[in-house]
Amino acid sequence: MSRPIIRLLFATLAPVALAGCVTGQQIDQYSAPDAGFSTVSTTTGQAIGKQTVWAQNKDDAQALAVRVHALVHKKTINADTAVQVALLNNKGLQAAYAEMGLSAAEAWQQTMLPNPKVSIGIFGIASPELGAYRSIEGLIAANILALATRRSRVAIADTRFRQAQLTAVLETLRLATETRQAWINAVGAFETTVYFNQAQNAADAASELAQKLGESGAMPKGNQAREHAFYAELSGQKAQARLAARLAKEKLTRLMGLWGVDVDYYVPDYLPRLPASVARRNAIETEALQRRVDLQIARLELQAVAQSHGLTVATRYVTDLEIIGGFESERERDEDGGRKTVTTLQAELEFVIPIFDSGEARQRKGELAYMRAANKLAEKAVNVRSEARSAYMAYTATHAIARHYQNSVLPLRTGIEEESLLTYNGMITNTFELLADTRAKISTLLQSVAAKRDFWLADANLLASTYGGGAGAAAGDGEAMALADSGGGH
């Protein structure tokens, strides 16, 4: 290649070398196999104290499968184990981590210089007097606008990458909260079935006694029918409670990502005991504003939109700008009948003339996008405050309700049943009054289980309201209460 051509190539590619610099540390950060995952593991570890792993190959997946099998197979798992298994084994969470990796790859892509375009043209092919061709033209084009905006594009991609990291954190926290709530619902459902079994025994006895008294003529048919109806209704409610317990456990299984022999695990029959007191969280609004991950994501969204708007303003009039350099080598026949070649250099500048589209519409779209992001951030901040207050109110109120059932209502019902048993043994109370008191106590037990479950759900939601990842935890959906009310109505 001749020296003029080399000089021309150097002049064409010079802007490439002068473009905005990207540090090697940035490139290493984006190109790492586990790009951004340290932020996810550190943040979630501080929030929930559990380990999370990003499996990226077959060996990682196999090691996790062995670990999960050891944690659950034929074991009775508590809530912490369920959460840990979900964080290790849920494939949806692994997909969220892969999404974060895609964002890192996009940022890595933006750090790279745009490839120059090369074109070579051959003209006058099979020219009669010159043989193979008449001229050759070679051009190299570099997108000047892409080079000039490279720093801004990298900054936007970096913001999106940090946003993706926090989104992965949020998905991890959401899965942990959902798994803990699913475990609470499953255990609460199984505890409910225990008390339905006790109610069933009482109903069996009442139904059998009613049948015998009816055969002897000591009980009218109407009273017999009432006891048989109660027995039949309770059998249906017991079946519903069993189904609800199995479905609740199946939801827990899905969140933990279990299948095959690993579904052979157990949950306790009873929920944990209530704590003696609740934790004081007087500054929970401030904590939520400082720690909520979804609020941080909204802030980054506003930052990314602002950066994109700034880039749009800077490139409002010119959307494409290329510098093109090259050469043209032309052959011709001289007077002596020989051939001579003349090479000339070329330089071109291509850009779009903003006659019809001055970029005003794109600028307006950028302004509106910024206003939308700013308002969403403000709305999120207001909601975070309210959600934190609501979660703490539910936490303290459900604890008080559950303690009321445990310390006041249940002892009263137990005392009534014991007194009824004493009077029955003294032949003062008849059998049906004793059974009615027993059924009333079982109804109170079911309400007590529901209240205790609601407290533990509120406890799980309190953590989610501080760090994020809550799904509007339903404290007190009243399902078990309805069962209890209907069961004790006879």
Side-chain angles (χ1 to χ4, degrees):
M1 186 177 293
S2 64
R3 294 184 63 183
I5 294 176
I6 293 175
R7 287 198 300 270
L8 179 60
L9 287 175
F10 178 78
T12 304
L13 298 176
V16 173
L18 298 176
C21 296
V22 177
T23 65
Q25 187 178 4
Q26 278 182 288
I27 296 176
D28 292 342
Q29 178 190 5
Y30 302 143
S31 61
D34 59 345
F37 188 67
S38 61
T39 300
V40 178
S41 59
T42 302
T43 306
T44 55
Q46 292 172 350
I48 57 178
K50 294 291 179 291
Q51 183 189 13
T52 185
V53 177
W54 186 4
Q56 299 192 53
N57 53 54
K58 184 178 179 182
D59 294 338
D60 291 346
Q62 189 168 5
L64 286 179
V66 172
R67 186 175 170 187
V68 167
H69 182 78
L71 285 171
V72 300
H73 186 58
K74 293 188 179 300
K75 303 282 181 62
T76 300
I77 62 172
N78 58 26
D80 288 337
T81 302
V83 171
Q84 182 61 80
V85 170
L87 297 187
L88 296 176
N89 202 46
N90 187 284
K91 302 307 178 188
L93 185 62
Q94 295 296 320
Y97 295 160
E99 192 70 27
M100 177 186 63
L102 286 172
S103 179
E106 176 61 28
W108 185 16
Q109 182 76 44
Q110 294 298 334
T111 64
M112 298 178 185
L113 297 171
N115 292 324
K117 293 188 294 185
V118 177
S119 63
I120 298 176
I122 302 176
F123 305 96
I125 296 176
S127 176
E129 67 276 14
L130 296 173
Y133 63 90
R134 183 186 303 277
S135 62
I136 295 178
E137 183 178 285
L139 297 172
I140 297 178
N143 192 324
I144 299 297
L145 189 63
L147 294 171
T149 59
R150 179 170 172 247
R151 188 186 296 275
S152 298
R153 288 186 290 106
V154 170
I156 295 171
D158 181 74
T159 303
R160 292 298 186 192
F161 173 50
R162 287 185 285 132
Q163 202 175 18
Q165 287 177 292
L166 292 180
T167 301
V169 171
L170 190 63
E171 288 301 316
T172 306
L173 295 176
R174 178 176 290 118
L175 176 63
T177 301
E178 288 182 0
T179 304
R180 188 173 293 277
Q181 291 174 344
W183 184 90
I184 293 168
N185 282 322
V187 177
F190 277 105
E191 187 171 350
T192 300
T193 61
V194 171
Y195 295 124
F196 266 118
N197 288 335
Q198 294 180 11
Q200 184 73 61
N201 293 334
D204 289 345
S207 180
E208 184 179 356
L209 182 59
Q211 183 177 4
K212 289 180 179 177
L213 292 176
E215 291 172 354
S216 65
M219 175 177 277
K221 289 186 178 180
N223 290 341
Q224 292 180 53
R226 290 189 187 92
E227 295 305 323
H228 294 321
F230 171 66
Y231 171 80
E233 290 171 358
L234 194 61
S235 297
Q237 292 169 0
K238 179 182 170 184
Q240 290 177 344
R242 284 179 175 174
L243 175 61
R246 287 198 295 269
L247 293 179
K249 186 183 176 185
E250 199 59 42
K251 181 179 180 180
L252 177 63
T253 302
R254 286 197 300 273
L255 290 171
M256 292 193 295
L258 299 179
W259 63 283
V261 296
D262 287 341
V263 301
D264 192 9
Y265 72 94
Y266 312 101
V267 294
D269 290 333
Y270 298 93
L271 287 167
R273 295 177 60 84
L274 291 173
S277 60
V278 294
R280 294 296 174 190
R281 304 286 294 277
N282 296 328
I284 192 168
E285 278 190 52
T286 305
E287 291 179 32
L289 289 174
Q290 293 174 346
R291 296 175 178 173
R292 279 284 290 260
V293 178
D294 49 349
L295 192 60
Q296 297 174 31
I297 292 174
R299 291 193 187 105
L300 286 176
E301 175 66 23
L302 181 63
Q303 180 181 341
V305 172
Q307 290 170 329
S308 299
H309 179 56
L311 182 60
T312 301
V313 171
T315 61
R316 173 182 171 182
Y317 295 103
V318 181
T319 58
D320 195 12
L321 178 63
E322 285 188 338
I323 184 170
I324 302 171
F327 68 94
E328 180 179 10
S329 183
E330 187 172 8
R331 299 191 306 170
E332 59 183 18
R333 188 173 292 279
D334 56 20
E335 297 175 352
D336 300 333
R339 299 175 187 170
K340 67 176 183 180
T341 301
V342 179
T343 301
T344 56
L345 300 179
Q346 293 185 357
E348 300 177 13
L349 185 64
E350 288 188 357
F351 59 91
V352 176
I353 302 174
I355 297 178
F356 306 107
D357 182 4
S358 63
E360 190 174 358
R362 287 187 295 117
Q363 186 176 356
R364 179 60 178 162
K365 286 167 61 178
E367 292 171 355
L368 292 174
Y370 183 82
M371 291 171 58
R372 180 180 58 189
N375 282 299
K376 283 186 175 295
L377 175 60
E379 180 191 29
K380 175 65 72 176
V382 172
N383 291 344
V384 163
R385 286 176 179 272
S386 176
E387 289 169 7
R389 292 194 303 270
S390 299
Y392 186 62
M393 280 190 288
Y395 171 70
T396 55
T398 54
H399 181 266
I401 293 170
R403 295 280 292 181
H404 174 70
Y405 273 98
Q406 176 181 286
N407 298 336
S408 300
V409 181
L410 200 53
L412 285 173
R413 282 295 181 191
T414 303
I416 292 172
E417 184 192 36
E418 290 174 353
E419 186 65 25
S420 179
L421 183 60
L422 289 175
T423 55
Y424 173 76
N425 291 334
M427 302 184 68
I428 300 174
T429 303
N430 62 40
T431 304
F432 296 109
E433 289 176 342
L434 174 63
L435 291 175
D437 290 335
T438 301
R439 290 200 298 264
K441 180 194 172 184
I442 291 172
S443 173
T444 302
L445 278 171
L446 294 176
Q447 295 176 42
S448 176
V449 171
K452 187 166 60 172
R453 181 209 59 192
D454 291 345
F455 165 73
W456 287 115
L457 288 175
D459 179 66
N461 195 44
L462 183 65
L463 181 67
S465 71
T466 306
Y467 288 94
D477 57 11
E479 181 182 353
M481 289 285 190
L483 289 172
D485 289 344
S486 61
H490 293 271

